[in-house]
Amino acid sequence: MISYIENIATMLSISMILAWSLNIMVGYAGIFSVMHAVFYGVGAYVGAQYAIHVSAEFIVVAAVAMPATAAVAFLLTVPVLRVREEYFVVAAVGYQMVATTVFITWQSGTGGMGGLAGIPPATFFGVMLIDPRAYLALSAGCAVLCILGLNLLLRSPFGRALKALRDDETAAIALGKRPIRLRLVATSIAGGLAGLAGVLYAFYVSYINPESFTLDYSVLLLAMVIIGGAGTLIGPALGAIFITVFPALLNFLEVPNSILGPLQQVIYGSVIVMLMLFMPDGLYSAGRLLRKGTGKLAATLGVGGSSQ
Amino acid sequence: MSSNLLELDGLNKAFGGNQVITSLTLKLEEGHVSSLVGPNGAGKTTIFNLITGFVSPDSGRVRYAGKDVTGSSPQDLKERGLVRTFQNLRLFLDMTVFENVLVSLERMLRGRARARLERVRTKEVLTRVGLWEVRDVKASELSYAEKKFLSIARAMASGARCLLLDEPASGLDGPSRTLFHELMREFKANGQTVLLIEHNLDIVREVSDSIVFLDRGNIVASGTAEEIFSDPELSERYFGV
């Protein structure tokens, strides 16, 4: 049971980093990307190859994989940033298809469908992280650094310019902001962070194959951001918790095994639909709705801040 | 001797076969407040878009501070001190009042000293337009008049040499209107050049050094407030007197 929870917590840390990084694009730069699993995959493969052939020192691997993924994100985005919204979504689907094909067929780089096995355990300043708890601490530490870094970034001139762009692009242009440049930097940062998540994942599972980096997963990541609340710091983390933990909780349903799988899917899907219907701004807005609700209730009952 | 800061020379613009601006030639004297007036659809906002690089003219030139800037990007023109506002304000609604102004003047990469200067300037501007007290409020929560002044503050913040203000005063009441007048006087005193689009003719009359009257993309008349408002033909056709 403990190891089950440790496993979920480690995967949750990785998912949070992915959701936060995608949120830079979706929530702040206004790019609806459904190719985030591509960056995740590139980070994982680059990290795995480096760990297998050169060094498994986590910081070094991350320092190699993150810029590589950022560069891929930059190069893939340059030609398509002039298109926005639904057109970008379609272009991203195209990229995802190409990338999946590369992951499947590039034997020497990715191991093809068979994947890359034998990824050594990560070392952290020379200490081999074999204990799952130590690895959980590393993953959680990376997630914490990630949110602290994003918080700083969003309070910087760059972050404000991104938010301005999101709120009103025409006004941002009139005030001297350059949307394409800003979006490219945002995408590169998002790519680099997804690469970090990829490295964490590759070390964690020690075997990777293309099935972890599919369009399905890209869509799921987008769902995390939107379900949690795009354009907020906490929202994507809530979305990641929901998407990662909720299905795990459904495992504890006391129903016959034969119907457990389909039932889980139906409940999971239905809850997502309900969330979007009743909380279109995401789980993040739950607090606000709750305050509003209790405020109304208090007013109805004639207690609290009523001016009567 | 005064000189022209902005010169539009023979500008033409058509949208989908519909000629919006026809051979428009206009000169704005540095340090003056000029106003564009005319009925809806006269092409006033299109002129703003042509000057600020949001729209390229089909033919004709735009000269600013002695340089041909036809086809320059809005960002380049802003760098040169040509700043505009929008009729529908276009505030960054999810950002605070302070952030709205700060973002308009800050550079991406700068040292501590410059960063401090940017914040000092933001405070100065917000204090001047009476919004310092609400600096931490989201722009979406401001009153109508406050929103209008925030939009002007954003344009003022970078110390623009030329301000293009699209209906900045319409809908303002007594005290706000007084503040608007004061700002206009300060712009002039600072040697800043202002081009206004304004429907409220009383305000136009009070603040403008010169007025350009447009209809269907053509300049019908131009001159001082006195000349424009005493023109019997204009009065009869447009001002309804």
Side-chain angles (χ1 to χ4, degrees):
Chain A
M1 186 65 192
I2 297 269
S3 65
Y4 181 65
I5 293 172
E6 280 167 6
N7 176 41
I8 288 182
T10 307
M11 285 312 295
L12 183 59
S13 304
I14 295 172
S15 305
M16 279 183 180
I17 296 174
L18 285 168
W20 276 322
S21 63
L22 180 57
N23 186 40
I24 302 174
M25 296 173 72
V26 176
Y28 293 101
I31 308 167
F32 271 80
S33 164
V34 279
M35 58 174 179
H36 217 55
V38 174
F39 307 148
Y40 181 41
V42 170
Y45 282 117
V46 171
Q49 287 286 12
Y50 195 83
I52 292 170
H53 297 291
V54 187
S55 158
E57 179 58 46
F58 180 78
I59 299 215
V60 179
V61 178
V64 171
M66 287 174 71
T69 317
V72 169
F74 179 88
L75 292 174
L76 289 186
T77 318
V78 166
V80 292
L81 257 192
R82 285 186 189 277
V83 297
R84 293 279 313 282
E85 292 157 4
E86 63 266 44
Y87 304 102
F88 188 93
V89 172
V90 176
V93 169
Y95 271 140
Q96 176 74 55
M97 286 161 63
V98 172
T100 303
T101 309
V102 172
F103 291 160
I104 290 173
T105 51
W106 188 20
Q107 285 292 337
S108 58
T110 64
M113 210 50 208
L116 279 181
I119 302 165
T123 57
F124 193 68
F125 292 106
V127 180
M128 199 178 273
L129 302 178
I130 295 185
D131 181 358
R133 270 177 220 180
Y135 201 75
L136 169 59
L138 176 72
S139 309
C142 286
V144 169
L145 278 182
C146 185
I147 183 113
L148 292 178
L150 282 181
N151 189 28
L152 276 181
L153 186 80
L154 290 173
R155 288 159 183 268
S156 72
F158 172 75
R160 270 187 293 276
L162 264 191
K163 285 192 266 185
L165 204 61
R166 174 196 64 185
D167 280 8
D168 196 312
E169 183 159 343
T170 303
I173 291 172
L175 294 171
K177 310 300 172 204
R178 296 176 193 273
I180 292 190
R181 217 179 278 178
L182 286 166
R183 290 204 170 96
L184 273 178
V185 176
T187 306
S188 305
I189 295 171
L193 288 176
L196 173 67
V199 169
L200 280 169
Y201 178 72
F203 274 129
Y204 184 57
V205 294
S206 76
Y207 162 75
I208 52 172
N209 73 2
E211 281 173 22
S212 304
F213 315 114
T214 56
L215 178 61
D216 279 4
Y217 196 60
S218 287
V219 173
L220 205 61
L221 288 172
L222 187 61
M224 285 183 198
V225 174
I226 293 170
I227 287 172
T232 65
L233 266 183
I234 303 301
L238 296 177
I241 292 172
F242 176 82
I243 295 279
T244 315
V245 178
F246 190 64
L249 290 178
L250 290 177
N251 281 334
F252 295 102
L253 281 179
E254 298 215 2
V255 291
N257 272 343
S258 55
I259 59 162
L260 180 63
L263 190 64
Q264 277 179 338
Q265 291 297 317
V266 169
I267 295 177
Y268 186 42
S270 307
V271 169
I272 291 179
V273 174
M274 304 284 260
L275 274 176
M276 287 298 92
L277 281 176
F278 296 109
M279 262 188 240
D281 291 336
L283 291 167
Y284 177 78
S285 62
R288 208 173 55 218
L289 290 175
L290 208 68
R291 273 197 300 279
K292 230 172 151 183
T294 47
K296 262 189 194 165
L297 191 68
T300 316
L301 298 174
V303 294
S306 164
S307 57
Q308 296 288 314
Chain B
M1 200 186 106
S2 56
S3 61
N4 295 321
L5 180 64
L6 191 65
E7 293 179 19
L8 312 182
D9 187 9
L11 286 186
N12 282 291
K13 185 69 197 175
F15 291 115
N18 180 20
Q19 194 71 30
V20 184
I21 299 293
T22 311
S23 303
L24 185 113
T25 295
L26 180 66
K27 293 177 169 63
L28 294 192
E29 217 168 287
E30 181 145 31
H32 275 204
V33 175
S34 312
S35 292
L36 289 176
V37 294
N40 283 330
K44 302 183 295 284
T45 296
T46 303
I47 293 175
F48 268 29
N49 288 336
L50 286 166
I51 296 173
T52 51
F54 277 89
V55 167
S56 296
D58 298 333
S59 62
R61 316 303 303 171
V62 179
R63 257 183 292 278
Y64 171 71
K67 290 209 175 76
D68 189 337
V69 294
T70 320
S72 293
S73 69
Q75 292 97 334
D76 288 341
L77 291 166
K78 198 255 176 184
E79 290 272 296
R80 291 164 184 245
L82 187 68
V83 181
R84 71 174 290 182
T85 66
F86 295 89
Q87 188 183 343
N88 50 355
L89 305 181
R90 293 188 169 277
L91 298 175
F92 305 124
L93 292 174
D94 235 12
M95 298 168 73
T96 65
V97 167
F98 190 85
E99 285 178 316
N100 261 273
V101 174
L102 182 61
V103 78
S104 71
L105 66 103
E106 68 184 345
R107 299 217 176 109
M108 292 290 156
L109 300 170
R110 77 276 198 267
R112 257 166 211 276
R114 159 93 201 180
R116 210 175 55 234
L117 219 67
E118 288 170 352
R119 284 173 184 272
V120 169
R121 175 70 185 148
T122 301
K123 181 177 179 181
E124 247 173 48
V125 172
L126 284 176
T127 308
R128 183 62 201 99
V129 299
L131 292 177
W132 179 244
E133 295 301 317
V134 290
R135 61 190 175 279
D136 294 325
V137 172
K138 272 193 182 175
S140 57
E141 290 164 23
L142 296 180
S143 71
Y144 179 72
E146 286 172 332
K147 281 182 179 163
K148 286 237 159 189
F149 281 111
L150 180 56
S151 145
I152 297 174
R154 229 170 37 172
M156 281 163 67
S158 55
R161 189 169 173 192
C162 183
L163 291 143
L164 277 63
L165 308 178
D166 199 340
E167 296 207 20
S170 54
L172 294 184
D173 57 2
S176 309
R177 214 160 128 173
T178 310
L179 174 58
F180 177 74
H181 278 272
E182 285 170 14
L183 290 175
M184 287 296 133
R185 269 197 297 276
E186 283 171 24
F187 292 151
K188 272 185 76 166
N190 295 339
Q192 289 167 292
T193 308
V194 180
L195 181 59
L196 286 181
I197 293 177
E198 188 51 64
H199 275 125
N200 187 326
L201 295 178
D202 289 339
I203 290 175
V204 169
R205 192 196 301 257
E206 287 157 11
V207 303
S208 309
D209 296 306
S210 64
I211 297 172
V212 175
F213 196 96
L214 282 168
D215 193 8
R216 276 164 281 180
N218 290 294
I219 295 178
V220 180
S222 64
T224 62
E226 211 169 296
E227 288 163 359
I228 292 290
F229 289 106
S230 61
D231 183 321
E233 201 192 324
L234 280 179
S235 298
E236 195 184 338
R237 274 177 64 193
Y238 299 104
F239 306 140
V241 286

